[in-house]
Amino acid sequence: MIKLIFLGSGSAFTVGTDNFQSNILVVNEQNQKLLIDCGTDIRFSLHKAGFSYADITDIYISHLHADHVGGLEYIAFTTLFDPNCKKPKLYTSKDVASDLWDRTLSGGLRFLTSDIANMDTFFEQERLQYEGYFSWQDIQFNLVKVTHVDSGYYIMPSYGLFFQLAGVNIYISTDTQLCLNTNKKFYEQADIIFHDCETSLYPSPVHASYQQLTTLPATIKSKMWLYGYQPVSLPDAEKDGFLGFVKRGQIFEFPAIN
């Protein structure tokens, strides 16, 4: 049985609830684990789910916001100084990887006693081709370019994932605006969609809002789970044609094909 475990299902700034940021753990039959994004809540969300830093051997990073990378410093230091841990393997698109050390991690990780560290001190890196893929334990994860933050001058590099478990096509959007026009084939080919969904009373332009998602065709909504939401009173997603809102700790199981 292969599992998708939502360590959290909330937005970046979810506080005062029993939820955490939307980081996901893939666990295969051999109990090997791939962490999809590693936000600032990760030490709490792992503990709540019965895991620790020692379980994290492989990490995919979708983009550079803190709710997706803010926990990497914790993973880096705890695994480095635990002799039982190997360097975690880090999968990132090249354009994400190019800024990950210099603009995100180096301030806290660069200085060690009697040494100047770099990314290779803490992680084994696999830098991925533009809209390429990576293979983890015989599962191919295809990167899907999404539009999250568009400054007008520059679009922040950000990538969802499209992959297959037990013959089931899965699309995880990560943080994204509604990109149905540019990524229509992934919405159509997926059997299950886990989609970013903003439920704020004052929606931002960088996430797909619940109101926008309700306008999708019924054939797409009927296979869509919503996550990344704010701690507000949630609408009736099932009544509106969705599978529902993902809850923290919710596990999705897929029988392994022999």
Side-chain angles (χ1 to χ4, degrees), residues 97-109:
S98 65
D99 287 337
L100 181 54
W101 178 255
D102 289 340
R103 295 188 174 183
T104 302
L105 297 178
S106 64
L109 291 177

Side-chain angles (χ1 to χ4, degrees), residues 5-257:
I5 304 173
F6 276 76
L7 299 175
S9 57
S11 65
F13 307 115
T14 294
V15 293
T17 71
D18 195 33
N19 207 349
F20 298 109
Q21 295 159 346
S22 296
N23 302 158
I24 304 166
L25 206 57
V26 183
V27 184
N28 69 6
E29 284 193 308
Q30 291 73 43
N31 206 33
Q32 295 161 314
K33 302 171 185 71
L34 169 69
L35 179 62
I36 299 176
D37 284 327
C38 183
T40 51
D41 287 349
I42 198 66
R43 63 194 190 279
F44 304 115
S45 60
L46 282 172
H47 177 75
K48 187 77 172 182
F51 301 104
S52 77
Y53 68 86
D55 291 292
I56 305 306
T57 57
D58 297 86
I59 306 169
Y60 168 73
I61 296 297
S62 65
H63 68 288
L64 296 183
H65 280 146
D67 54 319
H68 298 263
V69 297
L72 284 178
E73 181 174 314
Y74 165 72
I75 297 296
F77 277 135
T78 51
T79 55
L80 180 69
F81 293 111
D82 186 334
N84 295 310
C85 292
K86 295 181 179 179
K87 289 182 187 178
K89 189 165 186 179
L90 201 60
Y91 303 91
T92 54
S93 177
K94 283 186 176 181
D95 49 355
V96 174
S98 65
D99 287 337
L100 181 54
W101 178 255
D102 289 340
R103 295 188 174 183
T104 302
L105 297 178
S106 64
L109 291 177
R110 185 166 177 250
F111 297 102
L112 295 174
T113 302
S114 303
D115 198 7
I116 300 295
N118 57 39
M119 183 69 90
D120 294 333
T121 305
F122 303 97
F123 299 103
E124 178 186 347
Q125 297 181 80
E126 185 168 334
R127 299 185 175 207
L128 310 172
Q129 297 293 331
Y130 176 72
E131 292 191 284
Y133 68 91
F134 66 95
S135 294
W136 175 81
Q137 305 304 329
D138 298 323
I139 303 170
Q140 179 172 307
F141 292 83
N142 301 286
L143 273 62
V144 179
K145 185 175 179 61
V146 297
T147 299
H148 179 27
V149 181
D150 184 350
S151 70
Y153 298 95
Y154 182 70
I155 297 177
M156 181 183 192
S158 189
Y159 297 87
L161 291 173
F162 188 89
F163 55 101
Q164 189 176 97
L165 296 180
V168 178
N169 290 323
I170 300 169
Y171 175 41
I172 298 177
S173 72
T174 67
D175 286 9
T176 184
Q177 299 176 34
L178 182 56
C179 298
L180 183 62
N181 290 336
T182 53
N183 290 329
K184 187 176 182 179
K185 66 178 181 180
F186 299 107
Y187 287 86
E188 292 180 340
Q189 293 173 7
D191 299 306
I192 299 178
I193 300 168
F194 296 100
H195 206 285
D196 185 23
C197 176
E198 183 163 305
T199 55
S200 171
L201 296 176
Y202 309 101
S204 73
V206 301
H207 297 276
S209 71
Y210 185 81
Q211 290 75 17
Q212 289 175 319
L213 294 172
T214 58
T215 68
L216 288 171
T219 53
I220 293 178
K221 290 193 295 183
S222 65
K223 54 186 179 182
M224 184 177 284
W225 285 94
L226 308 174
Y227 75 103
Y229 49 86
Q230 284 71 26
V232 298
S233 180
L234 296 175
D236 190 339
E238 293 181 28
K239 181 180 178 181
D240 288 330
F242 301 100
L243 290 172
F245 284 96
V246 178
K247 297 179 174 63
R248 181 204 55 79
Q250 190 164 348
I251 299 174
F252 298 84
E253 297 184 335
F254 303 85
I257 298 176

